Structures are given as structure tokens and as C-alpha cells.
Amino acid sequence: MKTKRVKFWAFLLVCSFGLLLYRLADIQLFSTEKFGDEQVNLLEQSVKQQSSSINLTSGRGELLDRNGQSLGKSQVKDIVLFPLIQTIGLPQSFKNLLEAETISLTDIETELKEPTYLSEMIGEEIDSDLYNEVKNRKIPGVMAVERSLLADPEIGQHFLGIVRENPNAYYNRYDESPILTDPKPIGISGLQKAFDPFLQSDNSKKLLYQVDGKGNPMLGLNVRYIGEQDPFYPVQLKTTMDLPIQNMAEKVVDNNGLEKGGLVLLDIESREVLAMVSRPSINSESPYQNQSIVNQMLVPFYPGSIFKTVVAAAAIENNTESLNRTYDCNTNLYGDEPSERKLGTLNFQQSFAQSCNNAFGTIGSKLVNANPQIFEEYTEKLGLLGPVGWTGDVFRYSNFKQFPAEKKGRVWGNKYDRNVEKAIRQTSIGQKDVKVTPLAVANMMATIANNGEKQYVRAVTDILYQNNTTMYTFKANKDNSNRIKSDTALRLQGLLEKVVTDGTGRSLDGLGVAGKSGTAETGQKGAYHHWFAGYFPKQNPKYAMVVVDLYQTDTDAQTYPVYKEVVQNINEMNGVSND
């Protein structure tokens, strides 16, 4: 009996010992790179436990303007202080250098717990002389380095977007386990957010040093540089932004005191965004406070008389009678009381130029009574309701959007309003429930200037590898399946030209501009949305532009001054006279 018991326990011991040996072999030999249900890389994790590091680059992709100039990323010189100096003390030679630069670092030997940039400790950039001195000397625990800073863009903030550290959002966005990967900064707006999956990269560059079991620096081990030079990653986004024009446009907007609103400038032929300005600027400390992160150029607003362009297009193609009669423009929108603006009796062309509400209320009423869907049909033909941003399949991303934050516009808020005379008339002049985005309005003007050719708007033309070879090209995305006739576009061009020469846009006369003004009630007393949308030069048009000053009084609106100054500056850049 005793012999059986001894054999049984001996068997259990052998089995247990065998299991332990197998477990150790699995950890040490068999599953070193994919261990357990979480597929943990034990080699990488062991290195992390035995070392500490500081990033020289985030490894994130870079944004370029249309000419290849870097946007929002800079190379700076800095000095790294390692916890090694806790053990050996701050070298006197380095103290002397700091004193020469009048830099005071109190109790640095005891307070330094991890590798830290000197610039962050003193709150300013490192002097080049100090950097060169440290670089030319071998000072224990101190190293001169060059690093890339991924800062918020100084211009084009809403267009380019910003990046922030948010581990929870990172794991939710990419559905990755915290055990498997370190969270990386993510784009939270603009192109940084739209193209975040492409801009993410593991190719960060670091300075690495060894630590003991308690995390203290080990003496005698040199700091090592890690991060391979990769010819492909991280990628670069070649945006459509024209940096000199963007810079100029932002200065014009700010110098004229436009506080809420902005502008969109498109290249008519390619439908590329050359400049996009949104105000107010992003609050870097609290981006979501007061919705400062929102790009106003992608948000729908009441367009006012801008919408008369849609009504005019519908009338040209469907109701020639409206084009050949006159209208009493001394009466209001409903034709039952005197108008605040006494314009007299005007024909169709004059009514458009002077923005006569009674004329377009009357025309719109006839059009809708004959075809209740006509406004939707012509906003579609002109590409006004959107979204108008480039959309398509990119690798494994179906329906990829370059402007994911772009909102869709609308014509009717209530389907029964098509049967209500006053609602039809209000809708005909871009009030009631009509809302469109500035980007869509700019694209509509480009469509008209390009003889009715519809096309989606691009913000990025290429994704490039590090060696400047092309990873992906976003080709022009045209849509001519449902458009206005070329003759209609030509007639609209004539109407838009008349607005500037003989109508509400006369302050822009002489600059070669054609366009339409709009002043929309907002529901706030004394506050209106002030628009001007058009294109230039009117002969061989190249640019389409919208300027909108939101929630502004009539006397303080800066729409025309901004529009005029931007056009003048672009003309000068192109060597065109402003006479």
C-alpha cells in the first residue's frame, strides 16, 4: 500500500515538474513573440522592463502643402538630461555652461525621474551655442539631440487639424489591446483625423538606456539610438493647400476683424482647396470649449439670397415666362406690403442683380407649384446640398471621405411647406429651413464658372512614401450624371457678372469678379449671415471663393472688404493689374 502511495505522489511530482519545464520552455523558447491569448511579444516586453527611453520623433506621418513644403512639423535642437545624473551628480562642466546661459535648475539631481528635454524644463528653446557646446563634449547624463516636433499648425488649423494624446480614443478607434501596443497620438480634427489610419506609424525614433530591476539607471551602459531609417514609412500627405495664399487669406480675415465665419478658395478646374479659413481659431488648451474645433466652412447656415442662384437656374430651364416679364420690386416678399428697399420695376436680370425678394418669391412659387421637387432637383444639379468633399474607396477603406466632418445641407424642414405659399416664398430667397455649407456654395460657383461641370472637392492629392514615391493618388472625381445645361451655366454667368457691375456687389467692380451676395436672418435680433460667393477672373475663371461673416450686424459685416482684399492680393501674386 505504501509503495503504491509513493509511486502515485512520485508520478504527480514528475508530471508537475514536467508541466513547469514545458511552461518555462514555452516562455523562453517556443512562444517568445506570441504568448498567451493576448499574443504578447515577450521579447519586446522584457526589453521595455529593462530599459527606459525618450522619443525623438512620434513616428507620425507628415502633411505637405501642394508644393511639398512641410506643414505643422519642425526640426529643433535640444538637450536631454538622463536620470543617470541622480547617481553621479550634475557635472560641473555642464553647470558652468548653464550659468553662462543664465539658466537656473533647482535640485535637478534629485527631481529628475525620467529622461527630460531641457527646453521643457526651462520653458524656452535651447540656445544654439549651448547646444553646440554639449554636442562637442562628452558629458555623462547629458546629450545634445535633434528632434521633430509635431505642433499644432499656426495656419490652416481647421483645414489641417490637430493631434492629441488620448489612449482611450486610440484603442477604441483601432480596436487594439493596451497589452499589445502603446497608444499613439491621434488626429482629432481636419485632415489629421480623416487620414489618421495612414498617418499612424510604428517608426518612431528614440534614445534608449538600460535600467535595473527597480527602474534605476545602470552605470556603464551607453545611451543607444533606436529607430530604423525606413524609405516608406511614415507617409506624407500632399495636401492641396497653397501655403502663401493660405497665409495671406488668414491675415486678411484677422486684420479685418472677422470673428466668426471665414472663407473657402477653390481651384475651379481641379476643385482643390487652395485656402480654407475658419474663425474662431482653435483653443489649443481646450479645443472643444465653445466648439472652437468646429470648421465653420463645413457647417450648414442660412444662405439668404445666395439660394436665388438655384431658383434662377430652375427658371432658365423650366419657366421662360419668368425670364421675360417684369416685377414690382417696391413691394415685399409676399407682394402685400411696401418693401424696405424701393427698387422699382425690374426685369429678371435686374431682379437678380439687385436681389429683389418679391421677384424670386414669385418665380419660386410658380416653379414649386408646377413641380414640388424642383428645388431639390436643382440643388442636386448644382451640387449645393452636398456632401461635396472627395469620397471613394481607398485600399480597404470603403467610402473614404476627405472631409468626414462635412455636414449635408437641406432645402425643406417640413415636407408640407411645399404646399404653403409663404413657406415657398421664404424658401425661394434662402430662408425658412434652407441651409448650405460655405464649401458647397464655393463648389456651386465653380460648377457654374466651369460651364456646369460638376466635380467633388479635394483636400489631398497624394499619399507619398518617405522616398517621395506615390502610395496612392486621389484622382479627380467628376459627376456629370445630373447637371445643368452648358447654356444655362452661361446665362447664370451673365447674371453673376451683372451683380457686380450693376447690383449688390458693386464694391467689387473692376476686379474681374462675378458672384452673388446674400444676407440671411438668423433668428437673433440684429444678427445676420453675410455672404458673398463668386469666381474670378470672370474671363477664363480660375478661382471660386466664398466669404461669410456669421451672426454679424449690417454695419460691422466684413464680407466685402475681405473678399476684395483677397482678390486684389491674388491678382498681384499672379501679376494681374487691379485697375
Side-chain angles (χ1 to χ4, degrees):
M1 196 71 174
K2 288 184 179 180
T3 304
K4 288 184 178 181
R5 237 179 295 168
V6 170
K7 288 181 178 180
F8 173 75
W9 286 109
F11 176 76
L12 283 180
L13 286 173
V14 170
C15 289
S16 299
F17 187 67
L19 288 173
L20 285 174
L21 285 177
Y22 173 79
R23 185 67 168 175
L24 287 172
D26 189 34
I27 293 173
Q28 296 289 335
L29 300 174
F30 306 137
S31 303
T32 55
E33 296 185 4
K34 293 182 179 180
F35 178 75
D37 294 336
E38 298 291 347
Q39 300 289 287
V40 177
N41 190 318
L42 296 176
L43 295 177
E44 288 185 357
Q45 295 300 318
S46 66
V47 171
K48 288 182 179 179
Q49 290 180 347
Q50 298 169 19
S51 63
S52 184
S53 64
I54 185 169
N55 284 335
L56 296 176
T57 68
S58 66
R60 188 173 181 82
E62 186 176 10
L63 273 60
L64 311 174
D65 86 334
R66 65 192 300 107
N67 297 312
Q69 185 166 342
S70 178
L71 301 168
K73 196 171 185 179
S74 59
Q75 199 78 8
V76 298
K77 296 178 179 180
D78 213 328
I79 294 172
V80 181
L81 303 178
F82 289 90
L84 178 67
I85 61 178
Q86 286 183 314
T87 304
I88 64 174
L90 199 62
Q92 186 60 45
S93 58
F94 185 58
K95 289 183 178 180
N96 294 337
L97 291 175
L98 297 181
E99 290 176 1
E101 298 294 335
T102 65
I103 296 175
S104 175
L105 298 175
T106 306
D107 299 327
I108 186 173
E109 289 96 342
T110 57
E111 291 183 356
L112 195 65
K113 305 299 181 184
E114 58 186 13
T116 305
Y117 286 111
L118 180 59
S119 64
E120 295 176 355
M121 299 186 75
I122 64 176
E124 61 184 59
E125 293 183 4
I126 299 302
D127 181 85
S128 58
D129 291 337
L130 177 60
Y131 170 85
N132 291 329
E133 284 288 341
V134 172
K135 185 177 180 180
N136 293 330
R137 302 185 188 188
K138 289 186 177 181
I139 303 176
V142 181
M143 178 175 287
V145 298
E146 289 191 25
R147 61 170 175 148
S148 294
L149 290 181
L150 186 63
D152 290 347
E154 295 183 2
I155 66 171
Q157 291 181 334
H158 293 87
F159 179 60
L160 301 176
I162 61 175
V163 177
R164 291 292 183 272
E165 291 187 1
N166 189 329
N168 289 334
Y170 175 82
Y171 294 130
N172 289 336
R173 183 176 296 181
Y174 296 108
D175 193 28
E176 293 179 336
S177 168
I179 298 175
L180 296 179
T181 181
D182 290 328
K184 302 175 182 65
I186 60 174
I188 63 172
S189 67
L191 298 182
Q192 291 283 7
K193 182 177 182 179
F195 287 84
D196 194 67
F198 298 99
L199 295 169
Q200 291 288 350
S201 172
D202 291 324
N203 286 40
S204 60
K205 298 176 182 178
K206 302 178 180 180
L207 289 177
L208 187 75
Y209 72 101
Q210 302 300 111
V211 296
D212 60 21
K214 296 182 179 180
N216 297 317
M218 296 176 65
L219 298 178
L221 295 179
N222 294 326
V223 174
R224 295 187 294 117
Y225 168 88
I226 60 171
E228 296 179 1
Q229 291 290 340
D230 192 322
F232 300 109
Y233 298 98
V235 301
Q236 303 172 96
L237 289 187
K238 189 175 182 181
T239 74
T240 61
M241 178 189 287
D242 188 305
L243 192 55
I245 293 180
Q246 176 75 33
N247 193 28
M248 174 273 294
E250 298 215 11
K251 289 180 179 178
V252 171
V253 166
D254 292 337
N255 290 342
N256 281 279
L258 197 158
E259 296 180 353
K260 186 164 187 177
L263 67 80
V264 179
L265 179 71
L266 302 181
D267 180 287
I268 290 174
E269 184 177 357
S270 66
R271 302 296 166 91
E272 295 173 357
V273 178
L274 302 178
M276 180 179 284
V277 182
S278 177
R279 292 293 181 267
S281 298
I282 296 177
N283 181 338
S284 296
E285 298 299 323
S286 302
Y288 297 100
Q289 185 176 357
N290 299 323
Q291 293 188 316
S292 72
I293 200 171
V294 174
N295 187 343
Q296 305 294 336
M297 301 302 98
L298 305 179
V299 177
F301 299 103
Y302 300 114
S305 294
I306 296 290
F307 193 74
K308 291 173 183 174
T309 309
V310 176
V311 179
I316 290 170
E317 293 191 354
N318 297 275
N319 193 318
T320 54
E321 179 197 353
S322 298
L323 312 181
N324 299 319
R325 57 160 291 188
T326 59
Y327 301 89
D328 181 5
C329 294
N330 285 332
T331 58
N332 67 1
L333 172 63
Y334 311 109
D336 55 6
E337 292 183 6
S339 172
E340 293 181 4
R341 298 170 62 225
K342 302 295 190 296
L343 299 172
T345 301
L346 303 178
N347 61 27
F348 174 74
Q349 186 182 48
Q350 292 168 333
S351 296
F352 187 86
Q354 296 291 341
S355 205
C356 172
N357 286 340
N358 182 41
F360 279 84
T362 302
I363 295 169
S365 178
K366 289 184 176 181
L367 290 168
V368 173
N369 286 328
N371 177 4
Q373 306 297 325
I374 196 163
F375 286 167
E376 290 96 327
E377 290 176 9
Y378 276 83
T379 52
E380 174 66 22
K381 286 176 180 289
L382 290 166
L384 184 59
L385 294 188
V388 300
W390 193 98
T391 303
D393 295 338
V394 181
F395 298 125
R396 62 186 177 89
Y397 299 99
S398 60
N399 199 34
F400 180 84
K401 297 179 180 179
Q402 291 197 1
F403 294 99
E406 180 191 2
K407 305 300 182 184
K408 187 175 175 63
R410 72 183 184 196
V411 177
W412 304 98
N414 186 327
K415 63 181 181 180
Y416 299 108
D417 283 346
R418 296 182 181 89
N419 303 315
V420 180
E421 179 66 17
K422 284 192 173 181
I424 294 172
R425 285 179 172 260
Q426 291 168 6
T427 301
S428 299
I429 65 167
Q431 291 285 179
K432 194 63 172 74
D433 296 308
V434 181
K435 286 190 174 183
V436 294
T437 68
L439 179 65
V441 173
N443 195 41
M444 178 182 73
M445 288 297 167
T447 295
I448 294 170
N450 207 21
N451 299 323
E453 183 177 283
K454 292 167 62 179
Q455 191 173 160
Y456 290 98
V457 177
R458 286 183 292 175
V460 173
T461 56
D462 299 280
I463 303 176
L464 304 175
Y465 291 118
Q466 275 293 306
N467 59 10
N468 287 322
T469 58
T470 301
M471 175 183 181
Y472 188 86
T473 295
F474 296 89
K475 296 180 180 179
N477 192 350
K478 297 182 180 181
D479 177 17
N480 289 316
S481 59
N482 183 23
R483 51 170 285 185
I484 59 174
K485 300 173 184 177
S486 297
D487 288 345
T488 302
L490 290 173
R491 297 194 69 169
L492 289 174
Q493 291 171 20
L495 293 175
L496 295 170
E497 290 176 17
K498 200 74 173 175
V499 169
V500 176
T501 57
D502 300 298
T504 56
R506 280 190 295 271
S507 64
L508 301 174
D509 194 16
L511 295 176
V513 174
K516 186 72 184 78
S517 61
T519 303
E521 296 179 359
T522 63
Q524 297 182 16
K525 186 177 180 180
Y528 303 88
H529 297 330
H530 295 269
W531 298 72
F532 193 86
Y535 59 86
F536 59 97
K538 58 186 177 183
Q539 304 298 330
N540 300 316
K542 179 173 176 56
Y543 306 100
M545 184 167 72
V546 169
V547 175
V548 57
D549 196 352
L550 301 170
Y551 301 101
Q552 187 59 275
T553 63
D554 288 334
T555 55
D556 294 331
Q558 297 300 311
T559 310
Y560 285 110
V562 169
Y563 207 103
K564 183 175 184 177
E565 192 172 342
V566 170
V567 173
Q568 288 176 330
N569 289 339
I570 290 177
N571 285 344
E572 290 177 4
M573 289 178 177
N574 293 332
V576 177
S577 173
N578 286 307
D579 295 336

